[in-house]
């Protein structure tokens, strides 16, 4: 079970590294393909704002990666739960304010991770 929960945590971290890359480095290229509903004429004017958002996604990924590197199981679990919780809330806010797809892409994997970590912690 611990291997599965770490894989899910790593997957959520990877998703946020990918989002970081798009928003910080590929906003006007790959960003146009990924965010199809975003008005095409706004990619260049919002490039700096997207980069700032990307940085925040990088912090989420860093926290999740950090949780995987902690050798103490209880501490690792607590850090993972905190950052997965942050991802879940961010995905919920994105679903309400931007697109329901954000909930599926971000919150659902994070919620799966939270449930699995809680099973590992309390089983």
């Amino acid at each position: 079970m611990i291997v599965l929960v770490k894989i899910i945590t790593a997957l959520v971290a990877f998703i946020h590294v990918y989002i970081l890359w798009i928003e910080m480095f590929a906003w006007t290229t790959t960003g146009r393909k990924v965010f199809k509903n975003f008005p095409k004429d706004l990619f260049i004017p919002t490039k700096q704002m997207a980069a700032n958002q990307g940085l925040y996604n990088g912090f989420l990924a860093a926290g999740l990666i950090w949780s995987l590197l902690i050798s103490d199981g209880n501490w690792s679990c607590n850090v993972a739960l905190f950052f997965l919780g942050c991802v879940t809330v961010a995905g919920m806010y994105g679903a309400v304010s931007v697109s329901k797809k954000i909930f599926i892409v971000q919150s659902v994997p994070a919620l799966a991770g939270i449930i699995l970590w809680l099973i590992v912690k309390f089983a």
Side-chain angles (χ1 to χ4, degrees):
M1 180 69 92
I2 193 71
V3 172
L4 177 61
V5 75
K6 288 189 176 198
I7 289 170
I8 297 293
T9 303
L11 172 68
V12 175
F14 173 78
I15 290 168
H16 286 275
V17 168
Y18 180 64
I19 295 169
L20 171 148
W21 175 75
I22 290 172
E23 292 178 341
M24 290 191 81
F25 305 109
W27 183 243
T28 58
T29 56
T30 305
R32 290 178 190 261
K33 296 173 190 165
V34 173
F35 300 100
K36 295 175 182 158
N37 292 338
F38 194 73
K40 302 283 185 227
D41 60 322
L42 291 180
F43 278 94
I44 292 173
T46 60
K47 187 175 178 180
Q48 293 299 77
M49 185 173 38
N52 188 46
Q53 289 178 189
L55 185 62
Y56 287 105
N57 280 289
F59 292 142
L60 293 172
L64 292 168
I65 293 165
W66 174 41
S67 78
L68 296 172
L69 299 174
I70 298 170
S71 60
D72 179 87
N74 191 45
W75 183 235
S76 174
C77 176
N78 290 338
V79 172
L81 286 171
F82 173 78
F83 282 98
L84 289 169
C86 290
V87 169
T88 300
V89 171
M92 291 167 72
Y93 181 79
V96 170
S97 63
V98 180
S99 167
K100 297 198 184 343
K101 183 179 176 185
I102 294 173
F103 180 80
I104 294 166
V105 172
Q106 292 184 10
S107 293
V108 169
L111 285 169
I114 289 170
I115 291 166
L116 291 173
W117 273 112
L118 290 172
I119 290 170
V120 166
K121 184 173 180 132
F122 295 110

